[in-house]
Amino acid sequence: MLRYRTSALLYAFLIMAATPVAAVETDAPAITWLVPDVPPVFVARGPFVRQGAGDITLTVLQQQLPGYEHRVRRVSMSTFTVLMHDTSNNVCTPLLPAMPRYADTTVVSQTLATMAPLRMITFRDMLATLPRKDGAVALAETLRRSLRTVYLDGWSHEDVQPLLARASDQRNVLVLSDITSPENALELLMERQVDYLVGHGYLLHFARSKFGALADDLVLLPLAEALANTPVHVACLNNAWGRARIADIDRVLADPSVQADIARVLRHWYPAMDLSAEAQR
């Protein structure tokens, strides 16, 4: 179970996010929110159902946009990927890290938080086998070795994606399609079918909450090639409808109290090491 100190305000968010809200037909304009099953950002099942960072961020946005009818559509990762690439749809999602695969089809809000660079997640007994460069793991050299990893096509970020893509035809690199959740890659790591993953630190924290003591030997290591922070936004499809919704959302996010509420939610779910210094203030 997650061991975090939780404020009274955050408890209120957790309760509201976990409580289903019946749809009510109104004359108000509507926002359809796409919510994929990507723990711990969005949680569709288990003890933290509807209490992920994105779930609770959505609750904050619903409260701050009372002029809209809010329709929540919970979808598989495969459906999310298809819909977020079709700009004829009028949909948004409440929490999306900047990734190349969505850059051409989405318009995003001001930055909600900035996540630290990608890292390597591996077991402690692998440390002696990893090549180093300037105190960090050298991913390019690691990929040339026989160590096994998994490449989630489309999930990595600009500074390491070319390295992973070039290695994707190697026998030691298992390629999963872009509709696969990072949770699936984490399960492969826990089963020791791969030796390491490239991802954000929240995956390590999620592993410890899901697998308990089995994940105690996992460690998070800096990568020499991963230098870029990752901004996180509200995102809508890039059409006239989506641009108008983002304009309204940005007006809400300009309120420092709303920014503080969302920052509190993100600090609750994401480890401090996974947020840039700016996001931790």
Side-chain angles (χ1 to χ4, degrees):
M1 186 172 180
L2 289 176
R3 301 178 180 88
Y4 292 106
R5 192 183 306 274
T6 310
S7 68
L9 176 60
L10 187 54
Y11 272 125
F13 287 151
L14 290 171
I15 292 169
M16 287 183 287
T19 305
V21 179
V24 177
E25 292 297 326
T26 71
D27 294 329
I31 299 180
T32 297
W33 296 99
L34 286 188
V35 176
D37 181 15
V38 188
V41 183
F42 301 100
V43 185
R45 58 192 180 280
F48 302 111
V49 62
R50 299 187 183 183
Q51 296 177 27
D55 295 309
I56 307 170
T57 298
L58 174 56
T59 298
V60 175
L61 293 171
Q62 289 173 320
Q63 293 171 339
Q64 297 297 327
L65 293 164
Y68 282 96
E69 177 189 351
H70 296 275
R71 301 170 181 170
V72 179
R73 184 177 175 186
R74 297 185 180 274
V75 296
S76 67
M77 195 62 225
S78 58
T79 299
F80 179 84
T81 300
V82 170
L83 292 176
M84 291 301 288
H85 281 90
D86 182 356
T87 56
S88 68
N89 294 307
N90 290 335
V91 295
C92 301
T93 193
L95 199 64
L96 187 72
M99 288 186 286
R101 66 172 175 167
Y102 295 121
D104 292 337
T105 59
T106 59
V107 57
V108 300
S109 70
Q110 67 178 60
T111 300
L112 300 179
T114 304
M115 297 176 66
L118 293 168
R119 294 178 173 86
M120 176 180 287
I121 305 167
T122 189
F123 285 95
R124 199 176 306 277
D125 59 18
M126 297 295 299
L127 292 178
T129 68
L130 299 171
R132 304 299 177 112
K133 179 181 178 182
D134 300 327
V137 176
L139 180 61
E141 177 60 28
T142 303
L143 287 166
R144 286 192 284 268
R145 300 188 178 188
S146 58
L147 300 176
R148 301 163 300 166
T149 191
V150 59
Y151 170 48
L152 279 78
D153 185 21
W155 275 98
S156 297
H157 303 278
E158 292 177 353
D159 46 5
V160 301
Q161 181 146 339
L163 286 174
L164 292 167
R166 284 197 298 271
S168 62
D169 59 351
Q170 298 175 189
R171 294 184 62 183
N172 61 320
V173 179
L174 174 63
V175 179
L176 300 180
S177 74
D178 65 352
I179 62 173
T180 307
S181 166
E183 183 182 13
N184 302 121
L186 187 59
E187 289 168 349
L188 291 173
L189 179 65
M190 293 305 302
E191 293 166 1
R192 290 282 188 151
Q193 295 187 45
V194 296
D195 298 309
Y196 66 93
L197 302 178
V198 173
H200 284 293
Y202 69 78
L203 287 175
L204 174 61
H205 279 235
F206 181 64
R208 288 175 174 166
S209 70
K210 181 174 181 177
F211 299 105
L214 294 175
D216 284 350
D217 285 336
L218 289 178
V219 293
L220 198 63
L221 305 171
L223 292 169
E225 296 88 348
L227 303 175
N229 291 331
T230 303
V232 180
H233 311 273
V234 184
C236 298
L237 283 172
N238 192 4
N239 54 32
W241 180 93
R243 291 188 289 273
R245 301 294 82 74
I246 288 296
D248 286 346
I249 290 165
D250 274 343
R251 280 191 284 273
V252 165
L253 295 177
D255 184 336
S257 66
V258 176
Q259 295 176 15
D261 287 346
I262 293 175
R264 193 175 296 111
V265 168
L266 296 178
R267 287 197 301 270
H268 174 72
W269 280 103
Y270 289 75
M273 69 184 72
D274 207 34
L275 294 174
S276 69
E278 178 181 328
Q280 293 179 47
R281 292 197 192 108

